[in-house]
Amino acid sequence: MTKSNFFSYKNKPLVRKNNVIYYGNMYEDVVAMLTVQTSHKLDDLLISDKIQVQLISTDPETPPQDMVLKHSVRNGLFDALDIADVWIERYIKQS
């Protein structure tokens, strides 16, 4: 078995599938789900504009309607990742 390397931000893994980015360690109590809602093209790059950020529970016992603990909409990927990182860190400290 080979070790899989993920992109990371502030020492937390980033996993992307289409317009959804998961941020955080799935073995922790929470992760952030970032959904790119709008984007624009700048030369050959696709730049994310509006991003929905959700802090979600990774506990398999949590009912689906209670999985989202916090949510917000941010402009730009860095703002979205920064708020997600703050939420994760605060949740981990409270646990």
Side-chain angles (χ1 to χ4, degrees):
M1 189 161 104
T2 62
K3 182 180 177 184
S4 177
N5 292 323
F6 294 103
F7 286 108
S8 64
Y9 179 73
K10 294 188 178 182
N11 295 320
K12 293 180 185 67
L14 286 164
V15 179
R16 180 180 177 190
K17 173 79 170 154
N18 298 324
N19 286 342
V20 178
I21 301 168
Y22 289 95
Y23 174 63
N25 189 335
M26 293 302 271
Y27 297 109
E28 295 286 341
D29 293 336
V30 294
V31 295
M33 183 173 74
L34 289 70
T35 306
V36 178
Q37 295 180 327
T38 63
S39 57
H40 70 276
K41 198 161 187 155
L42 180 65
D43 296 328
D44 291 337
L45 295 174
L46 195 59
I47 307 295
S48 301
D49 293 322
K50 186 175 166 186
I51 300 176
Q52 178 183 23
V53 184
Q54 295 177 316
L55 185 68
I56 57 175
S57 172
T58 58
D59 183 0
E61 301 292 320
T62 303
Q65 67 270 20
D66 296 333
M67 288 184 78
V68 177
L69 305 172
K70 286 185 175 235
H71 63 90
S72 181
V73 175
R74 297 290 185 206
N75 291 318
L77 183 59
F78 289 113
D79 285 344
L81 283 170
D82 280 343
I83 193 68
D85 189 61
V86 168
W87 286 351
I88 291 170
E89 290 298 319
R90 283 183 184 169
Y91 191 90
I92 291 170
K93 286 181 183 176
Q94 290 176 353
S95 298

